[in-house]
Amino acid sequence: MQSNVVTLSDGGGGLKDVNWGVVNNGLDFLESSVQYLARSDNRSLKYAALHLFASMETLVKARLAREHWTLVVADSNVPTKAAFESGNFRSISLGQALQRLGSVADITVDGKDVERIKDVEKLRNRAAHFSLAGETPERVKVVVARGIDFTLRFIEKWLRPEAPIGEARLIDETLERVREAIGRIQVLVEERMKSLEAELASHLFVLDCPACRQGSLVLSSDQAARCLYCLYCPGGEVCAEEYSASILEISRYGHALEGVDWPIHSCLNCGVEAFVNHIYTAGQEEVGWACFACGYYVSTAEIEICFGCGSPMDVRGGGTSLCGDCAAAKFEKF
Ligand SMILES: [Zn+2]
Ligand SMILES: [Zn+2]
Ligand SMILES: [Zn+2]
């Protein structure tokens, strides 16, 4: 594909050629990611994640540069056109590029896609700096497949329209090959979910998994939460925190600033800091409080928050405004 750069070029040199080369590169990374994804060994999955991120970054910036080339430059000192054309400048991040696309071109990426991009970015950072040890191949595959899905939609909706003719032709050819390959991968994901149907149906609670985001995280009594799809099972406390960050979108450090209550408390059954409020089933129905360490569950109506310390209290035996500890402390004062 690289050899097409010269033959399909619009000619004339200058910025058009720069963008053309960049798009060509982005599509090449995308296709490479899909090819690596089709294999299952750890090394291939690492490159699938790295190349997908490179592809997203390149294609989103190429679209931004179509608005104006200086928009992809990070420095406040804009480089000369010659420096830009030779790639000799510092470029903005993917997140900044998406933000700028929103402001200058009215191209907005919805919340679900932002999550998908962030998941790929996290995976890419781990793959680049550490390794994917600890990640299951199932999780990497589903995160990369979703990222590819976003990239395809981005190309179709925002990059393909108004692309110069040679660029449009290359986009069409690449998309055809990539769609076929990603279709096969999506079938594998669906088949795996299907094979889990009976087992998932046997669980009272099936939640969205914070690692792979499939509706396949199960809670069963006296067991830590675990994902049947990607086999994620880091222990109750870690899983609760990840669920809060990825699914409820409440972070330990940001919740106070955002004005939301921290949803994780000590479990009324096992005492572990893994008792989570606002649990949603995979069907998006709120079901109440559940412990990610021991599987204990209580509906929202059966829990009251202690007026004194903010911990949850089981009020099935009758309503009260203070928990046992706070009531005892108050009693001691008198
Ligand atoms: Zn999972
Ligand atoms: Zn518990
Ligand atoms: Zn209390």
Side-chain angles (χ1 to χ4, degrees), residues 306 308-309 311 323 326:
C306 167
C309 67
S311 354
C323 72
C326 290

Side-chain angles (χ1 to χ4, degrees), residues 166-187:
E167 197 174 300
R169 200 183 309 149
L170 183 66
I171 288 175
D172 292 344
E173 286 167 6
T174 310
L175 287 196
E176 207 181 301
R177 289 192 297 269
V178 167
R179 251 193 237 105
E180 201 192 22
I182 195 69
R184 283 196 299 270
I185 291 159
Q186 270 157 356
V187 167

Side-chain angles (χ1 to χ4, degrees), residues 49 82 88 99 188-189 192 221 225 227 241 250 275 277 282 288 308:
N88 196 9
Q99 242 168 22
L188 291 179
V189 171
R192 185 168 161 75
S221 64
C227 175
E241 187 132 356
I250 303 173
F275 195 42
N277 193 5

Side-chain angles (χ1 to χ4, degrees), residues 37-276:
L37 189 63
R39 304 174 210 162
S40 293
D41 60 290
N42 281 343
R43 186 174 171 276
S44 296
L45 291 177
K46 178 173 92 173
Y47 283 107
L50 290 172
H51 289 182
L52 173 59
F53 190 77
S55 166
M56 286 174 160
E57 206 168 25
T58 310
L59 295 174
V60 167
K61 286 184 199 173
R63 179 61 188 80
L64 183 60
R66 212 188 266 171
E67 298 298 315
H68 198 276
W69 65 274
T70 53
L71 287 166
V72 299
V73 174
D75 298 302
S76 49
N77 291 330
V78 172
T80 60
K81 260 191 181 182
F84 181 81
E85 284 167 18
S86 62
N88 196 9
F89 69 101
R90 212 160 58 83
S91 170
I92 56 172
S93 71
L94 175 59
Q96 287 170 315
L98 286 166
Q99 242 168 22
R100 288 187 187 179
L101 269 181
S103 338
V104 302
D106 215 14
I107 293 177
T108 46
V109 172
D110 76 24
K112 279 248 175 299
D113 280 335
V114 171
E115 280 169 17
R116 289 176 168 169
I117 297 165
K118 279 190 194 156
D119 284 346
V120 174
E121 185 170 19
K122 277 190 220 155
L123 208 56
R124 176 252 172 209
N125 288 344
R126 294 196 54 190
H129 304 298
F130 307 100
S131 73
L132 292 177
E135 299 282 357
T136 59
E138 285 79 9
R139 174 179 187 246
V140 177
K141 273 193 177 176
V142 74
V143 167
V144 173
R146 283 209 197 102
I148 290 172
D149 179 62
F150 158 77
T151 312
L152 291 179
R153 279 183 288 113
F154 182 87
I155 295 170
E156 275 168 352
K157 200 158 174 211
W158 306 114
L159 202 64
R160 173 67 175 78
E162 289 170 47
I165 187 150
E167 197 174 300
R169 200 183 309 149
L170 183 66
I171 288 175
D172 292 344
E173 286 167 6
T174 310
L175 287 196
E176 207 181 301
R177 289 192 297 269
V178 167
R179 251 193 237 105
E180 201 192 22
I182 195 69
R184 283 196 299 270
I185 291 159
Q186 270 157 356
V187 167
L188 291 179
V189 171
E190 280 158 27
E191 276 171 4
R192 185 168 161 75
M193 276 309 277
K194 261 214 154 58
S195 74
L196 296 171
E197 258 171 19
E199 205 183 343
L200 287 169
S202 72
H203 286 84
L204 197 50
F205 297 112
V206 179
L207 315 175
D208 287 331
C209 168
C212 70
R213 296 183 193 273
Q214 297 286 100
S216 48
L217 186 80
V218 298
L219 299 181
S220 26
S221 64
D222 299 324
Q223 272 181 31
R226 66 187 203 286
C227 175
L228 297 183
Y229 184 90
C230 75
L231 313 175
Y232 177 73
C233 183
E237 273 173 281
V238 174
C239 193
E241 187 132 356
E242 287 284 308
Y243 184 86
S244 169
S246 297
I247 306 295
L248 300 177
E249 294 179 19
I250 303 173
S251 71
R252 183 177 278 282
Y253 302 103
H255 71 95
L257 287 173
E258 291 150 16
V260 284
D261 291 330
W262 179 236
I264 306 175
H265 295 267
S266 296
C267 174
L268 299 177
N269 180 51
C270 72
V272 174
E273 257 327 269
F275 195 42
V276 185

Side-chain angles (χ1 to χ4, degrees), residues 305-313 321-327:
I305 297 293
C306 167
F307 206 65
C309 67
S311 354
M313 309 176 287
S321 58
L322 290 176
C323 72
D325 290 349
C326 290

